[in-house]
């Protein structure tokens, strides 16, 4: 945060605690998300006598309440003291539900758990992006968002490593190994959800690690940057601002990209262990071999986010990430060598995980005031999870192992679409900034109509 430049060296790391705990809040859902794929490889589908179609239904059931919850949850984030318990409450309950997946004995029981898991998860990701945008200047936001998205990619690796060890607990407590994946990882999630009640401040004004002078400085910097409104009235809830968010061209350019990236990201998150297993590895070996691509995704996401913040190039980073996906899926589609197909995962998976924080930051950076931004972020996540619904059917049910031909072709086309629409959005925002510069040169700020938010000539869009 900008404020750290003026703070004592002994306190310099304190602001990062907020981002670190947010990272945990993001990593835990992705541990929970990828663990279903790990559990499938470990025998869940066989033990519950599920077909591939039923497995896809179990995944789809998660997304319906997830999508429904995202917009209202984000709009509530700044109501009263809701922001801090909002994340902690959802993560805690969701940890309990994840644990309960380990004691189900039937397909219907799994469906019930997946539904309520989606309901709790729906407000967390868009809520975390919006929450961090209340603390960091726009030009320094992506590295912070990437911290928790990178934690998500690490959690994919972590989940694979955990699954590799946990499935050896098969038979303990008369539970199969896949059940212990849910039980132990769910307890992990629950405990970190509880810690968030204590460690996450509600706002910069409530941050215990700032003194009053520092709080004033942080709030002033955020207002000057456009990250927050100039007064409480500007950032107050308004249905009119909700509607204005739906009318922003950049929101819909990004919505298309979010849909494409969501399909790719969730497809790989859920099915990567199954893809690796289809390359000839045993179930246990597949759990271990699924780890390295996620680890590469962590490193790449952090590096590209640093570059994006320093050079303010969200669009170029998204286009580069999309290019990695294009190369990766082309390799998987064009080769019959299992080694090359496995190697392709080191491009496609890191590519989609690196694109996600750039897209979220791009969305948060270019919508104001608060209600408009909250709505824009929610729209992006709704489209992402709509892509997730497609992903649950695309791999497995509609495009069976081991080649996943139809799925690979679709994901390749979506990667190309990400690249194209990222370029379109970058050009649109550049053109808008050019027009705003001309207005600033010919008029004064006092002549401008109030309440324009990101439409103001004095609000530069981040490219």
């Amino acid at each position: 945060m900008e404020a750290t430049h003026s703070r004592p060296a002994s306190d310099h790391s304190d602001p990062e605690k907020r981002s670190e705990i947010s990272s945990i809040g993001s990593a835990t859902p992705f541990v929970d998300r990828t663990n279903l794929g790990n559990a499938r490889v470990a025998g869940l589908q066989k033990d519950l006598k599920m077909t591939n179609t039923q497995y896809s239904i179990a995944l789809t059931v998660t997304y319906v309440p997830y999508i429904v919850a995202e917009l209202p949850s984000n709009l509530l984030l700044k109501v009263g003291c809701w922001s801090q318990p909002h994340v902690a409450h959802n993560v805690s309950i969701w940890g309990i539900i994840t644990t309960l997946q380990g004691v189900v004995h039937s397909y219907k029981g799994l469906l019930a758990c997946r539904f309520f898991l989606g309901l709790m998860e729906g407000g967390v990701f868009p809520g975390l992006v919006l929450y961090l945008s209340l603390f960091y200047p726009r030009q320094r936001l992506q590295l912070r968002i990437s911290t928790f998205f990178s934690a998500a990619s690490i959690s994919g690796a972590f989940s694979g490593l955990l699954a590799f060890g946990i499935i050896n607990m098969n038979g303990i407590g008369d539970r199969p190994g896949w059940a212990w994946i849910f039980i132990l990882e769910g307890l992990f999630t629950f405990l970190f959800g509880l810690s968030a009640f204590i460690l996450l401040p509600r706002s910069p004004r409530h941050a215990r690690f700032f003194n009053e002078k520092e709080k004033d400085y942080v709030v002033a910097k955020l207002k000057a940057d456009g990250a927050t409104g100039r007064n409480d009235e500007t950032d107050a809830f308004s249905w009119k601002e909700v509607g204005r968010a739906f009318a922003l061209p950049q929101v819909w350019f990004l919505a298309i990209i979010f849909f494409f990236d969501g399909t790719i990201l969730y497809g790989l998150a859920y099915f990567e262990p199954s893809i690796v297993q289809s390359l000839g590895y045993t179930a246990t070996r597949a759990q271990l071999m699924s780890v390295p691509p996620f680890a590469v995704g962590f490193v790449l996401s952090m590096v590209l986010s640093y570059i994006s913040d320093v050079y303010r190039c969200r669009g170029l980073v998204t286009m580069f990430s999309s290019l990695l996906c294009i190369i990766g899926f082309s390799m998987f589609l064009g080769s019959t060598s299992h080694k090359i197909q496995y190697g392709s995962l080191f491009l496609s998976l890191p590519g989609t995980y690196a694109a996600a924080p750039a897209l979220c930051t791009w969305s948060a950076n270019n919508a104001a005031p608060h209600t408009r931004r909250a709505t824009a972020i929610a729209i992006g996540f709704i489209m992402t999870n709509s892509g997730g619904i497609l992903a649950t059917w695309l791999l497995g049910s509609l495009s069976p192992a081991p080649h996943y031909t139809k799925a690979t072709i679709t994901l390749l086309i979506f990667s190309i679409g990400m690249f194209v629409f990222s370029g379109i959005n970058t050009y649109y925002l550049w053109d808008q900034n050019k027009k705003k510069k001309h207005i600033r040169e010919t008029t004064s700020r006092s002549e401008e109509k109030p309440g324009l938010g990101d439409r103001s000539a004095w609000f530069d869009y981040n490219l």
Side-chain angles (χ1 to χ4, degrees):
M1 181 179 289
E2 296 288 349
T4 58
H5 295 298
S6 64
R7 302 180 71 238
S10 59
D11 290 347
H12 184 78
S13 64
D14 281 343
E16 305 306 325
K17 292 180 180 178
R18 175 174 55 261
S19 185
E20 290 163 7
I21 300 302
S22 297
S23 303
I24 294 168
S26 175
T28 48
F30 258 86
V31 168
D32 292 336
R33 183 167 294 160
T34 54
N35 64 20
L36 190 64
N38 296 124
R40 183 194 194 193
V41 171
L44 173 142
Q45 185 171 341
K46 180 181 178 181
D47 290 351
L48 297 186
K49 299 178 174 61
M50 296 162 56
T51 64
N52 285 341
T53 299
Q54 287 177 318
Y55 179 75
S56 294
I57 291 173
L59 294 176
T60 303
V61 163
T62 308
Y63 286 106
V64 176
Y66 192 123
I67 290 171
V68 170
E70 285 178 308
L71 180 55
S73 178
N74 245 27
L75 295 179
L76 282 170
L77 188 65
K78 210 178 180 186
V79 176
C81 58
W82 180 243
S83 60
Q84 176 254 17
H86 165 78
V87 175
H89 169 271
N90 284 14
V91 172
S92 299
I93 294 181
W94 157 16
I96 295 173
I97 297 170
T98 298
T99 301
L100 292 177
Q101 289 180 105
V103 298
V104 299
H105 295 278
S106 67
Y107 173 59
K108 291 181 180 179
L110 180 65
L111 288 182
C113 286
R114 299 302 300 178
F115 177 87
F116 288 104
L117 198 67
L119 188 64
M120 290 298 102
E121 185 177 347
V124 175
F125 267 102
L128 281 172
V129 172
L130 182 60
Y131 177 75
L132 288 176
S133 75
L134 302 176
F135 287 86
Y136 289 102
R138 292 186 298 145
Q139 285 74 26
R140 302 193 67 185
L141 184 60
Q142 185 171 334
L143 188 60
R144 276 69 190 187
I145 290 178
S146 184
T147 301
F148 76 73
F149 265 100
S150 296
S153 60
I154 278 293
S155 77
F158 184 57
S159 184
L161 286 172
L162 277 179
F164 176 73
I166 292 173
I167 57 176
N168 293 319
M169 297 176 65
N170 186 53
I172 296 178
D174 293 324
R175 303 303 305 159
W178 61 261
W180 284 106
I181 293 175
F182 290 124
I183 293 169
L184 294 182
E185 293 183 7
L187 289 173
F188 172 83
T189 301
F190 172 71
L191 292 175
F192 277 110
L194 291 182
S195 71
F197 279 105
I198 301 171
L199 297 172
L200 284 180
R202 295 174 185 170
S203 69
R205 284 289 181 195
H206 293 85
R208 292 186 298 274
F209 41 77
F210 288 148
N211 60 40
E212 288 303 316
K213 184 177 180 180
E214 290 166 340
K215 290 176 184 178
D216 291 339
Y217 177 78
V218 170
V219 171
K221 290 291 288 184
L222 292 171
K223 288 180 178 179
D225 176 69
T228 59
R230 293 187 173 273
N231 51 58
D232 291 338
E233 183 180 347
T234 301
D235 274 347
F237 175 79
S238 166
W239 283 112
K240 184 181 293 186
E241 290 298 340
V242 174
R244 285 173 176 168
F246 280 90
L248 294 174
Q250 69 265 29
V251 168
W252 292 108
F253 290 142
L254 286 174
I256 295 171
I257 307 171
F258 271 116
F259 177 78
F260 290 156
D261 191 53
T263 305
I264 299 169
L265 190 148
Y266 289 136
L268 293 177
Y270 277 126
F271 290 94
E272 195 243 12
S274 298
I275 293 170
V276 173
Q277 187 180 24
S278 73
L279 298 179
Y281 297 101
T282 63
T284 302
R285 183 70 173 172
Q287 305 282 15
L288 198 59
M289 294 296 286
S290 69
V291 173
F294 282 104
V296 173
F298 166 78
V299 175
L300 182 67
S301 183
M302 294 301 293
V303 170
L304 290 183
S305 291
Y306 174 78
I307 293 172
S308 178
D309 273 350
V310 171
Y311 296 101
R312 304 182 183 183
C313 53
R314 319 294 188 209
L316 290 178
V317 165
T318 306
M319 293 171 74
F320 176 77
S321 301
S322 305
L323 189 60
L324 292 180
C325 292
I326 292 171
I327 297 171
F329 290 124
S330 297
M331 289 171 59
F332 192 93
L333 183 66
S335 177
T336 56
S337 167
H338 287 174
K339 289 183 179 179
I340 293 177
Q341 289 179 322
Y342 177 69
S344 74
L345 296 174
F346 286 83
L347 295 172
S348 54
L349 193 145
T352 189
Y353 273 83
L359 289 172
C360 291
T361 309
W362 217 4
S363 177
N365 279 173
N366 293 325
H370 175 84
T371 302
R372 203 182 301 178
R373 182 185 306 119
T375 306
I377 292 170
I379 290 172
F381 276 92
I382 287 170
M383 295 301 290
T384 299
N385 290 291
S386 297
I389 292 177
L390 174 58
T392 62
W393 292 94
L394 190 58
L395 287 96
S397 295
L398 299 178
S399 185
H403 301 298
Y404 299 100
T405 303
K406 292 180 181 178
T408 306
I409 293 172
T410 303
L411 297 181
L412 175 59
I413 293 171
F414 282 10
S415 299
I416 295 171
M418 285 177 60
F419 184 90
V420 172
F421 277 94
S422 295
I424 291 172
N425 192 51
T426 301
Y427 175 78
Y428 170 76
L429 295 174
W430 172 83
D431 185 60
Q432 291 297 304
N433 281 345
K434 184 178 178 182
K435 293 176 180 177
K436 290 183 177 188
K437 182 179 180 182
H438 176 71
I439 294 172
R440 290 196 300 269
E441 291 172 348
T442 56
T443 62
S444 65
R445 191 161 193 171
S446 60
E447 297 177 75
E448 186 178 69
K449 180 182 176 181
L452 291 178
D454 60 83
R455 292 293 199 183
S456 168
W458 278 262
F459 186 103
D460 264 336
Y461 290 124
N462 276 346
L463 305 183

